Amino acid sequence: MKPIVATNDFVVKFANVNGSGSASANGMFAKVILRMGVPVGARNIFPSNIQGLPTWYEVRVSEAGWLGRRGGVDLMVAMNPQTWDADLKEIMPGGYLLYDSSKPLPASKFRDDITIIGAPLTELIATEFSIPRERQLFKNICYVGVLAQMLGLESDTVKQLLTEEFKGKDKLIEPNFRAFELGRAYAEANIPPIGLHVNRSDKVGDRIFAEGNDAAALGAVYGGATFCAWYPITPSTSLAESFQKYCTMLRKDADGKNRFAIVQAEDEIASIGMVMGAGWAGSRAFTCTSGPGISLMNEFVGFSYYAEIPAVIFDVQRGGPSTGMPTRTQQSDLLLAAYASHGDTKHPMLFPGNPTEAFEMGAQAFDLSDFFQTTVFVMLELDIGMQEWLTEPFKWDEKRRLNRGKVLTYEHLEQGVPFGRYRDVDGDAVPYRTYPGTHPTKGSYFTRGSSHDKDARYSEKGEDYTEGMERLLRKWETMKSHVPAPIIKKAKKRTPDGVIYMGSTDPAMEEALCAMESHGIHLDALRVRAFPFNNEVFDFIRDHEQVFVVEQNRDGQLKSLLVNEGGVHPARLVSVLHYDGTPITARFIIKDITEKLQAGQAAALPEKAK
Amino acid sequence: MTYIAKPSLHHPSLERNAVGFTRRDYEGRISTLCAGCGHDSISASIIQACFEIDLEPHRLAKFSGIGCSSKTPDYFVSPAHGFNAVHGRMPSVLTGANIAAKDLIYLGVSGDGDSASIGLGQFCHAVRRGVNMTYICENNGVYGLTKGQFSATSDKGSKAKKGAENKDSAIDLVMLALQLGATYVGRSFSGDKSQLVPLIKGALSHKGTSFIDVISPCVAFNNHVGSTKSFDYVREHNEAVNRMDVISPRAPIRADYKPGELKEVVQHDGSILRLRKLEDDYDSTDRNAALGYLARKAAEGEIVTGLLYVDPEASDLHDSLNTVTCQLNKLTDQELIPPLSALEKINASLR
Ligand SMILES: Cc1ncc(C[n+]2csc(CCOP(=O)(O)OP(=O)(O)O)c2C)c(N)n1
Ligand code: SF4
């Protein structure tokens, strides 16, 4: 078997034991390559426990800029004996395996179609370090040294990163350098060059390496959120923690007082309840959670819809149903969020496709929820929320003002502007509201989840009820042109086929489209960015004979929403579903779509709708 | 349910309080509760208390959950914003509103079903956080709105209207509130306005969490022999530890009591709680003593009423959150949106 030869285009995977401190070394490895100007897509695949179980970190090095998962591994850094067999299997023929050869493994444990590279990491470290925890940690930096030598990473760049990382803990810098050098020198003396190599390039530009949860939290700060009420749950916890970090950094007044409040609530019901109260009283408030939390919040979400109270919920989706796979990614909360709670309800959702959009939508969600006086869901996914993505820098227009929506002030009421809480004054079905305490005699109203008339008075009259419910539907229509429009990419050739997808599928999809195009398969592509669906989404479906809907859940939830909300014939939408909890790969998309095209899905379809 | 608005004509000679409002300005829509329901008397006491402490009606924010009791905020202080939340979850909504707009006076009204069953968790957590509010539980020992099931405050051994006996022990919300750190705790009876009104006045003036448990008989489902929350039963077993006057910062102080019997407690806002002792050994500023006393009396089958505990130096949730003086909902774009330079710095740190 010929060894794989590739420069700036390969996949490295690290197999580690959770809790061994490998995360920072692996992250450093990815960042060195980025600093060398070569794009990197990195993914942490971790178990739902704190210590002991297997964990992986996959780094896709791609000069061409493909940041999704590709599928397959070119170089496996196998540091976990527990997963040895499975890890070995994943290596592409002609690929490489790096392992700790301090304790030799039997030959039967190896494959003969790959190159096996041993480095006695434990031994090397034992010569220099005596404390057991240190030995463990420095072993990680030691294999970064081996890899740096093998792949041609710049030592100076590694050292620069180490210096930045341990700024303030300067005592740690020197031993890290030493551990790194141990590995590097060993490889220089003992490991012959391999086919994989990194060359300095200029393809990273001014892009940043950011996590979606962190980005969304920063978006909330720029979007004017002053209150976060939350309850811990993977994978959303880091969003609340980042909000705390950024507020502490950016939202203190001259006296050190907080222009924000964060409450770790007793549960998700209390979190959303607090958000309701704050939204009602005119503060921008949010909670962040995941599927199980949304399940609990249902009653209040319906309340928000009917009583028309702004709220923002960041749903960082993980593998469901039930407790499911807490540390794996999915797009499986769509239906839950879209129609949360009893009765006729629907709620807007935003689908960021990368951390930069998580930042933008994180801010925009507050304008939307204030303007439309309803809960807005920002549908993140673990794959965006908890992974570092190479993404465009965050941008903010300094002229931008927060849109508080239709709020009557003391002055308005003094001037005699009439107020009826649920009246459609402007014809867009969006009513006016007042904050509590605005005026001594005018503008007060009673908020309730039971049926009410236009002036917020309790009413069980059928016509008061239906009038309110119909206005809510008209409000939904108004929303369609206010939410982010889809992004449409036309194929190079005219084609009857299209593909719709959302969120974290974006990078894998871009790559898949490009690869399919080179094989003569042309697809127009549309990335949905919001619910309610903008009319362009249905125009796109109408203009194609068949549309693949690629999503990361079992039941085709995006497809269901398209069918339900757009009256689309279900047979015109062909599901491409990936839901094992790992981020979707370009190879999966290509294979599934190609097979479905070859199987002639189109032939089985009914006449194209007029 | 209220379909009828009250006529808004005011008699010109109606007495006005220091902020220029008449008692009528504190009224609400016409109650639709059963005639004689204890909850209506509590509404009347709230109206009187707000009038007497010169609270501008629109500065009140009133909250409730679901139940007959929770309907009452519609029946008092119409010029105030009201929020009828979902069943048992009023405390979180009130907390959120308080965080957004702390300068208002927060009043939560709830029932024993609302507070002690579905909402027990939220009740506990709002109290332990020290939310600056007055929380009144209109406690009738049954679910009124769903027609007479036992609630978690029904006493063990008490009888339902149709004769069934309650086998579970009762939750005493006053004991709970004391244990959880409420800084103003009282119990009263809907039929004793002279005790209840000053208790509410003191609570509304208190900074921190005030909890008042008001036994409020349900004439439709829990006013029979065998009930321990009926008018007759409460009148027979009610034992007050003190009588209270509340003197607002503006009012002249007149001494009506002999010094030995009197304890004066000055609160944050300058109001003075004058406690006239009825029980010699009762000290309303000693939390542990209050707990012991209540436990003893409960074992004797007595319902202890009055101001049971107050900490006039209490702090509140905003103190622990270290929030700015300005209400969060009044912060301007400039105060909220960090400069572009901050964003550029963050971008740079991510490369
Ligand atoms: C989630 C939910 N469960 C059940 C109900 C039905 N429900 C309405 S009021 C009520 C009990 C109210 O009892 P309480 O708080 O004691 O008030 P009261 O009517 O006695 O004043 C119940 C169970 C509801 N509205 N919502
Ligand atoms: S059912 Fe009971 S609690 Fe409800 S209004 Fe009637 S008397 Fe009051």
Coordinates of all heavy atoms in Angstrom, one line a residue, chain A residues 35 206 208-209 222 226-227 251 253 256-259 266 270 273-274 277-278 281 283 303 394 396 401-402 404 434 437 439-440 443-445 447-448 458, chain B residues 1 29 58 63 74 78-79 81-84 86 89 92-93 96-97 99-100 122 125 129 321-324 329 333 335-340 343 347 350-351:
Chain A
R35 N -2.3 29.4 12.6 CA -1.3 30.6 12.7 C -0.4 30.5 11.5 O 0.2 31.4 11.1 CB -0.5 30.5 13.9 CG -1.3 30.9 15.2 CD -1.1 32.4 15.5 NE -1.9 32.8 16.6 CZ -1.5 33.1 17.8 NH1 -0.2 33.0 18.1 NH2 -2.3 33.4 18.8
D206 N -8.3 37.2 7.8 CA -8.6 37.8 9.2 C -9.6 37.0 10.0 O -10.2 37.4 10.9 CB -9.0 39.2 9.0 CG -10.4 39.4 8.4 OD1 -10.9 38.4 7.8 OD2 -10.9 40.5 8.4
I208 N -11.4 34.3 12.4 CA -11.1 34.0 13.9 C -11.5 32.5 14.1 O -12.2 31.9 13.3 CB -11.9 34.9 14.8 CG1 -13.4 34.8 14.5 CG2 -11.5 36.4 14.6 CD1 -14.3 35.6 15.4
F209 N -11.1 32.0 15.3 CA -11.3 30.6 15.7 C -12.2 30.7 16.9 O -11.8 31.1 18.0 CB -10.0 30.0 16.0 CG -10.0 28.5 15.9 CD1 -10.6 27.8 14.9 CD2 -9.3 27.7 16.9 CE1 -10.6 26.4 14.8 CE2 -9.3 26.3 16.9 CZ -9.9 25.7 15.8
Y222 N -24.1 42.6 22.7 CA -24.3 43.6 21.8 C -25.8 43.9 21.5 O -26.2 45.0 21.1 CB -23.5 43.3 20.5 CG -22.1 43.8 20.6 CD1 -21.1 43.0 21.3 CD2 -21.7 45.1 20.2 CE1 -19.8 43.4 21.5 CE2 -20.4 45.5 20.4 CZ -19.4 44.7 21.0 OH -18.2 45.2 21.2
T226 N -29.9 42.4 29.1 CA -29.4 42.7 30.5 C -29.6 41.6 31.5 O -29.1 41.7 32.6 CB -30.1 44.0 31.0 OG1 -31.5 43.8 30.9 CG2 -29.6 45.2 30.3
F227 N -30.3 40.6 31.1 CA -30.7 39.6 32.1 C -30.6 38.2 31.5 O -31.2 37.9 30.4 CB -32.1 39.9 32.6 CG -32.5 38.9 33.7 CD1 -31.7 38.3 34.6 CD2 -33.9 38.6 33.8 CE1 -32.1 37.4 35.5 CE2 -34.3 37.7 34.8 CZ -33.4 37.1 35.6
R251 N -19.7 45.4 30.8 CA -20.9 46.0 31.3 C -20.9 46.5 32.8 O -21.9 46.3 33.5 CB -22.1 45.0 31.1 CG -22.6 44.9 29.7 CD -23.7 45.9 29.5 NE -24.4 45.6 28.3 CZ -25.3 44.7 28.2 NH1 -25.6 44.0 29.2 NH2 -25.8 44.4 27.0
D253 N -20.4 49.6 35.4 CA -20.3 51.1 35.4 C -19.1 51.6 36.2 O -18.3 50.8 36.7 CB -21.6 51.7 35.9 CG -21.8 51.7 37.4 OD1 -20.9 51.1 38.1 OD2 -22.8 52.2 37.9
G256 N -18.3 50.1 39.4 CA -18.1 48.7 39.5 C -19.5 47.9 39.7 O -19.5 46.7 40.0
K257 N -20.6 48.7 39.4 CA -21.9 48.0 39.5 C -22.3 47.4 38.2 O -21.8 47.9 37.1 CB -22.9 49.1 39.9 CG -22.7 49.7 41.3 CD -23.9 49.3 42.1 CE -23.7 49.7 43.6 NZ -24.6 49.0 44.4
N258 N -23.1 46.4 38.2 CA -23.4 45.7 37.0 C -24.6 46.2 36.2 O -25.7 46.4 36.8 CB -23.8 44.2 37.4 CG -22.6 43.5 38.1 OD1 -21.5 43.8 37.8 ND2 -22.9 42.6 39.0
R259 N -24.4 46.4 35.0 CA -25.5 46.8 34.1 C -26.1 45.5 33.5 O -26.4 45.4 32.3 CB -25.0 47.7 32.9 CG -24.5 49.0 33.4 CD -24.4 49.9 32.2 NE -24.1 51.3 32.6 CZ -22.8 51.8 32.3 NH1 -21.9 51.1 31.7 NH2 -22.6 53.0 32.7
E266 N -33.6 27.7 39.7 CA -33.7 26.4 40.3 C -34.1 25.3 39.2 O -33.9 24.1 39.5 CB -34.7 26.4 41.4 CG -36.2 26.8 41.0 CD -36.4 28.3 41.2 OE1 -35.4 29.1 41.0 OE2 -37.5 28.7 41.4
A270 N -38.4 28.0 36.0 CA -38.1 29.3 36.6 C -37.3 30.2 35.7 O -37.5 31.4 35.7 CB -37.4 29.1 38.0
G273 N -39.6 31.6 33.3 CA -40.6 32.5 34.0 C -39.9 33.9 34.3 O -40.5 34.9 34.1
M274 N -38.7 33.8 34.7 CA -38.0 35.1 35.0 C -37.8 35.9 33.7 O -37.9 37.1 33.7 CB -36.6 34.8 35.6 CG -36.7 34.3 37.0 SD -35.1 34.0 37.7 CE -35.5 32.8 39.0
G277 N -41.0 37.6 33.0 CA -41.2 38.8 33.8 C -40.4 40.0 33.4 O -40.8 41.1 33.3
A278 N -39.1 39.7 33.1 CA -38.2 40.8 32.7 C -38.6 41.3 31.3 O -38.6 42.5 31.1 CB -36.8 40.3 32.7
A281 N -41.5 43.5 31.6 CA -41.1 44.8 32.3 C -40.1 45.6 31.4 O -39.7 46.7 31.9 CB -40.6 44.6 33.7
S283 N -37.1 44.7 29.9 CA -35.6 44.4 29.8 C -35.5 43.3 28.8 O -36.3 42.5 28.6 CB -35.1 43.9 31.1 OG -34.5 44.9 31.8
F303 N -47.6 30.7 26.8 CA -48.0 32.0 27.4 C -47.5 33.2 26.7 O -48.2 34.1 26.4 CB -47.5 31.9 28.9 CG -48.1 33.1 29.7 CD1 -49.2 32.8 30.5 CD2 -47.5 34.3 29.7 CE1 -49.7 33.8 31.3 CE2 -48.1 35.3 30.5 CZ -49.2 35.1 31.3
F394 N -16.3 38.9 14.0 CA -17.5 39.5 14.4 C -17.5 41.0 14.0 O -16.6 41.7 14.1 CB -17.7 39.5 15.9 CG -17.6 38.1 16.5 CD1 -16.8 37.9 17.7 CD2 -18.2 37.0 15.9 CE1 -16.7 36.6 18.2 CE2 -18.1 35.7 16.4 CZ -17.4 35.5 17.6
W396 N -19.9 44.7 13.9 CA -21.0 45.5 14.4 C -21.1 46.9 13.8 O -20.1 47.5 13.7 CB -20.9 45.6 16.0 CG -22.1 46.2 16.6 CD1 -22.3 47.5 17.0 CD2 -23.3 45.5 16.9 NE1 -23.5 47.7 17.5 CE2 -24.2 46.5 17.5 CE3 -23.8 44.2 16.7 CZ2 -25.5 46.1 17.9 CZ3 -25.1 43.9 17.1 CH2 -25.9 44.8 17.7
R401 N -29.1 50.8 16.1 CA -29.8 51.1 17.4 C -30.6 49.9 17.7 O -31.1 49.2 16.9 CB -30.7 52.4 17.3 CG -29.9 53.7 17.2 CD -29.3 54.0 18.5 NE -28.1 54.9 18.3 CZ -26.9 54.4 18.4 NH1 -26.6 53.1 18.6 NH2 -25.8 55.2 18.2
L402 N -30.8 49.7 19.0 CA -31.7 48.5 19.4 C -33.1 48.9 19.1 O -33.6 50.0 19.4 CB -31.5 48.3 20.9 CG -30.1 48.1 21.4 CD1 -30.1 47.9 22.9 CD2 -29.4 46.8 20.7
R404 N -36.6 48.5 20.0 CA -37.4 48.1 21.2 C -38.8 47.8 20.8 O -39.6 47.4 21.7 CB -37.4 49.2 22.2 CG -36.0 49.6 22.7 CD -35.6 48.7 23.8 NE -34.3 49.0 24.3 CZ -33.7 48.3 25.3 NH1 -34.4 47.4 25.9 NH2 -32.5 48.6 25.7
T434 N -47.0 48.9 27.0 CA -46.4 49.9 27.9 C -45.6 49.1 28.9 O -46.0 47.9 29.2 CB -47.5 50.7 28.6 OG1 -48.4 49.8 29.3 CG2 -48.2 51.6 27.7
G437 N -45.6 50.9 35.3 CA -45.1 52.1 36.0 C -45.0 53.3 35.1 O -44.4 54.3 35.5
H439 N -47.2 55.5 33.6 CA -48.0 56.7 33.8 C -49.0 56.5 34.9 O -49.6 55.4 35.1 CB -48.8 56.9 32.4 CG -49.4 58.2 32.3 ND1 -50.6 58.5 32.9 CD2 -49.0 59.4 31.7 CE1 -51.0 59.8 32.7 NE2 -50.0 60.3 31.9
P440 N -49.3 57.5 35.7 CA -50.2 57.4 36.9 C -51.6 57.0 36.5 O -52.2 56.2 37.3 CB -50.2 58.8 37.5 CG -49.0 59.5 36.9 CD -48.7 58.9 35.6
G443 N -52.5 53.8 30.4 CA -51.6 52.8 29.9 C -51.4 51.5 30.7 O -50.6 50.7 30.3
S444 N -52.1 51.4 31.8 CA -51.9 50.1 32.5 C -52.8 49.1 31.9 O -53.8 49.4 31.2 CB -52.3 50.3 34.0 OG -53.7 50.3 34.1
Y445 N -52.4 47.8 32.0 CA -53.2 46.7 31.5 C -52.9 45.5 32.3 O -52.0 45.4 33.0 CB -52.9 46.5 30.0 CG -51.6 46.0 29.7 CD1 -51.3 44.7 29.5 CD2 -50.5 46.9 29.6 CE1 -50.1 44.2 29.2 CE2 -49.2 46.4 29.3 CZ -49.0 45.1 29.1 OH -47.8 44.6 28.9
T447 N -52.1 41.5 32.1 CA -51.5 40.4 31.3 C -52.0 39.1 31.8 O -51.9 38.8 33.0 CB -50.0 40.5 31.3 OG1 -49.6 41.8 30.9 CG2 -49.4 39.4 30.4
R448 N -52.6 38.3 30.9 CA -53.1 37.0 31.3 C -53.0 36.0 30.1 O -53.0 36.4 29.0 CB -54.5 37.1 31.7 CG -55.4 38.0 30.8 CD -56.9 37.8 31.0 NE -57.4 38.1 32.3 CZ -57.8 39.4 32.7 NH1 -57.7 40.4 31.8 NH2 -58.2 39.6 33.9
Y458 N -60.4 40.2 30.4 CA -60.9 38.8 30.3 C -62.1 38.7 29.4 O -63.1 39.4 29.6 CB -61.1 38.2 31.7 CG -61.5 36.7 31.6 CD1 -60.5 35.8 31.6 CD2 -62.8 36.4 31.6 CE1 -60.9 34.4 31.4 CE2 -63.2 35.0 31.4 CZ -62.2 34.1 31.4 OH -62.5 32.8 31.3
Chain B
M1 N -65.8 35.7 36.8 CA -65.0 36.5 35.9 C -65.6 37.9 35.8 O -66.8 38.1 35.9 CB -65.0 35.9 34.5 CG -64.2 34.6 34.5 SD -62.5 35.0 34.7 CE -62.0 33.6 35.7
R29 N -61.5 45.9 39.2 CA -62.8 45.6 38.6 C -63.7 44.8 39.6 O -63.2 44.4 40.6 CB -62.5 44.7 37.3 CG -61.6 45.4 36.3 CD -61.2 44.5 35.2 NE -62.3 44.3 34.3 CZ -62.7 45.2 33.4 NH1 -62.2 46.4 33.3 NH2 -63.7 44.9 32.6
H58 N -49.9 53.5 40.2 CA -49.2 52.9 39.1 C -47.8 52.4 39.4 O -47.2 51.8 38.6 CB -49.1 54.0 37.9 CG -48.2 55.1 38.2 ND1 -48.3 56.0 39.2 CD2 -47.0 55.4 37.6 CE1 -47.3 56.8 39.2 NE2 -46.5 56.5 38.3
F63 N -48.8 40.6 40.7 CA -48.6 39.3 40.0 C -49.4 38.2 40.7 O -49.7 38.3 41.9 CB -47.1 38.9 40.1 CG -46.2 39.9 39.4 CD1 -45.9 41.1 40.0 CD2 -45.8 39.6 38.2 CE1 -45.1 42.0 39.3 CE2 -45.0 40.5 37.5 CZ -44.6 41.7 38.0
D74 N -56.9 41.4 39.6 CA -57.8 42.2 38.7 C -58.8 43.0 39.5 O -59.4 44.0 39.0 CB -58.5 41.2 37.8 CG -58.8 41.8 36.5 OD1 -58.4 42.9 36.2 OD2 -59.5 41.1 35.7
S78 N -56.5 49.1 39.9 CA -56.6 49.0 38.4 C -55.5 49.8 37.7 O -55.0 49.4 36.7 CB -57.9 49.5 37.9 OG -58.8 48.4 38.0
P79 N -55.1 51.0 38.2 CA -54.0 51.7 37.5 C -52.6 51.0 37.5 O -51.7 51.6 36.9 CB -53.9 53.1 38.3 CG -55.2 53.1 39.0 CD -55.6 51.8 39.4
H81 N -50.1 47.9 36.6 CA -49.9 46.7 35.7 C -50.1 45.4 36.4 O -49.5 45.3 37.5 CB -48.5 46.7 35.0 CG -48.4 47.6 33.8 ND1 -48.7 49.0 33.8 CD2 -48.1 47.4 32.5 CE1 -48.5 49.5 32.6 NE2 -48.1 48.6 31.8
G82 N -50.8 44.5 35.8 CA -51.0 43.2 36.5 C -50.5 42.1 35.6 O -50.5 42.2 34.4
F83 N -50.2 41.0 36.2 CA -49.7 39.8 35.5 C -50.2 38.5 36.1 O -49.8 38.2 37.2 CB -48.1 39.8 35.5 CG -47.5 38.9 34.5 CD1 -46.6 39.5 33.5 CD2 -47.7 37.6 34.4 CE1 -46.0 38.6 32.6 CE2 -47.1 36.7 33.5 CZ -46.3 37.3 32.6
N84 N -51.1 37.9 35.4 CA -51.6 36.6 35.8 C -50.9 35.5 35.1 O -51.1 35.2 34.0 CB -53.1 36.7 35.3 CG -54.0 35.8 36.2 OD1 -55.2 35.8 35.9 ND2 -53.5 35.0 37.1
V86 N -48.8 31.6 35.0 CA -49.3 30.2 34.9 C -49.3 29.6 36.3 O -48.8 30.2 37.2 CB -48.5 29.3 33.9 CG1 -48.5 29.9 32.5 CG2 -47.0 29.2 34.3
R89 N -46.3 29.4 39.1 CA -45.0 30.0 38.6 C -44.9 31.5 38.7 O -44.1 32.1 38.1 CB -44.7 29.6 37.2 CG -45.2 28.2 36.8 CD -44.4 27.1 37.6 NE -44.9 25.8 37.1 CZ -44.3 24.6 37.5 NH1 -43.4 24.6 38.5 NH2 -44.8 23.5 37.1
S92 N -41.3 33.3 39.8 CA -40.2 33.5 38.9 C -40.6 34.7 38.0 O -39.7 35.5 37.7 CB -40.0 32.3 38.0 OG -41.1 32.0 37.2
V93 N -41.8 34.9 37.6 CA -42.2 36.0 36.8 C -42.0 37.3 37.5 O -41.4 38.3 37.0 CB -43.6 35.9 36.3 CG1 -44.0 37.1 35.5 CG2 -43.8 34.6 35.5
G96 N -38.3 38.1 37.7 CA -37.8 38.7 36.5 C -38.1 40.1 36.3 O -37.3 41.0 35.9
A97 N -39.4 40.4 36.6 CA -39.9 41.8 36.4 C -39.1 42.7 37.4 O -38.7 43.8 37.1 CB -41.4 41.9 36.7
I99 N -36.2 42.3 38.6 CA -34.8 42.5 38.1 C -34.8 43.6 37.0 O -33.9 44.4 37.0 CB -34.2 41.2 37.6 CG1 -33.8 40.3 38.8 CG2 -33.0 41.4 36.7 CD1 -33.4 38.9 38.5
A100 N -35.8 43.6 36.2 CA -35.9 44.6 35.1 C -36.2 46.0 35.6 O -35.7 47.0 35.1 CB -36.8 44.1 34.0
Q122 N -40.8 27.2 43.4 CA -40.6 28.6 43.0 C -40.8 29.5 44.2 O -40.1 30.5 44.4 CB -41.6 29.0 41.9 CG -41.3 28.3 40.6 CD -41.4 29.3 39.4 OE1 -42.2 30.2 39.4 NE2 -40.8 28.9 38.3
H125 N -37.6 29.3 46.3 CA -36.4 29.9 45.7 C -36.5 31.4 45.6 O -35.5 32.1 45.8 CB -36.1 29.3 44.3 CG -35.6 27.9 44.5 ND1 -34.3 27.6 44.8 CD2 -36.3 26.7 44.4 CE1 -34.1 26.3 44.9 NE2 -35.3 25.7 44.7
R129 N -33.9 33.8 47.6 CA -33.1 34.8 46.9 C -33.3 36.2 47.4 O -32.6 37.2 47.1 CB -33.5 34.9 45.4 CG -33.1 33.7 44.6 CD -33.2 33.9 43.1 NE -32.8 32.6 42.6 CZ -33.6 31.6 42.1 NH1 -34.9 31.8 42.1 NH2 -33.1 30.5 41.7
L321 N -27.0 40.9 43.5 CA -26.6 40.9 42.1 C -25.7 42.1 41.8 O -25.2 42.3 40.7 CB -27.8 40.9 41.2 CG -28.6 39.7 41.2 CD1 -29.9 39.9 40.4 CD2 -27.8 38.5 40.6
N322 N -25.6 43.0 42.8 CA -24.7 44.2 42.6 C -25.1 45.0 41.3 O -24.3 45.5 40.5 CB -23.2 43.8 42.5 CG -22.3 45.0 42.6 OD1 -22.6 46.1 43.2 ND2 -21.2 44.9 41.9
T323 N -26.4 45.2 41.1 CA -26.9 45.9 39.9 C -26.7 47.4 40.1 O -26.7 47.9 41.2 CB -28.3 45.6 39.6 OG1 -29.1 45.7 40.8 CG2 -28.5 44.2 39.1
V324 N -26.7 48.1 38.9 CA -26.6 49.5 38.9 C -27.9 50.2 39.6 O -28.9 49.5 39.7 CB -26.5 50.1 37.5 CG1 -25.1 49.9 37.0 CG2 -27.5 49.5 36.6
N329 N -34.2 48.2 32.8 CA -35.0 48.5 31.6 C -34.9 49.9 31.2 O -35.5 50.3 30.2 CB -36.5 48.1 31.8 CG -37.2 49.1 32.8 OD1 -36.6 49.9 33.4 ND2 -38.5 48.9 32.8
D333 N -28.9 52.6 24.9 CA -28.1 51.9 23.9 C -26.6 52.1 24.3 O -25.8 51.2 24.2 CB -28.3 52.4 22.5 CG -29.6 51.8 21.9 OD1 -30.5 51.4 22.8 OD2 -29.8 51.8 20.7
E335 N -25.2 52.7 27.0 CA -24.8 52.0 28.2 C -24.8 50.5 28.0 O -24.2 49.8 28.8 CB -25.7 52.3 29.4 CG -25.6 53.8 29.9 CD -26.7 54.2 30.8 OE1 -27.9 54.1 30.4 OE2 -26.5 54.7 31.9
L336 N -25.5 50.1 27.0 CA -25.6 48.6 26.8 C -24.6 48.1 25.7 O -24.1 47.0 25.9 CB -27.0 48.3 26.4 CG -28.1 48.5 27.5 CD1 -29.5 48.2 26.9 CD2 -27.8 47.6 28.7
I337 N -24.5 48.8 24.7 CA -23.7 48.3 23.5 C -22.2 48.6 23.7 O -21.9 49.8 23.7 CB -24.2 48.8 22.2 CG1 -25.7 48.6 22.1 CG2 -23.5 48.1 21.0 CD1 -26.4 49.1 20.9
P338 N -21.4 47.7 23.9 CA -19.9 48.0 24.0 C -19.4 48.6 22.7 O -20.0 48.4 21.6 CB -19.3 46.6 24.2 CG -20.4 45.7 24.6 CD -21.6 46.2 23.9
P339 N -18.3 49.4 22.8 CA -17.8 50.0 21.6 C -17.2 49.0 20.7 O -16.9 47.9 21.0 CB -16.7 50.9 22.2 CG -16.3 50.3 23.5 CD -17.6 49.7 24.1
L340 N -17.0 49.5 19.4 CA -16.5 48.6 18.4 C -15.1 48.2 18.7 O -14.7 47.0 18.4 CB -16.5 49.4 17.1 CG -16.5 48.6 15.8 CD1 -17.7 47.7 15.8 CD2 -16.5 49.6 14.6
L343 N -15.0 44.9 20.4 CA -15.2 43.8 19.5 C -14.0 43.4 18.8 O -13.6 42.3 18.6 CB -16.4 44.1 18.6 CG -17.0 42.9 17.9 CD1 -17.6 41.9 18.9 CD2 -18.1 43.4 16.9
N347 N -12.0 39.9 18.7 CA -11.6 39.3 17.4 C -10.2 38.9 17.5 O -9.8 37.8 17.1 CB -11.9 40.2 16.2 CG -13.4 40.1 15.8 OD1 -14.0 39.0 15.9 ND2 -13.9 41.2 15.3
L350 N -9.0 36.0 19.3 CA -9.5 34.7 18.8 C -8.7 34.2 17.6 O -9.1 33.3 16.8 CB -11.0 34.7 18.5 CG -11.9 34.9 19.7 CD1 -13.3 35.2 19.3 CD2 -11.8 33.7 20.6
R351 N -7.5 34.9 17.3 CA -6.8 34.5 16.1 C -5.5 33.7 16.5 O -5.1 33.7 17.6 CB -6.3 35.8 15.4 CG -7.5 36.3 14.6 CD -7.1 37.5 13.7 NE -8.3 38.0 13.1 CZ -8.8 39.2 13.3 NH1 -8.1 40.0 14.1 NH2 -9.9 39.6 12.8

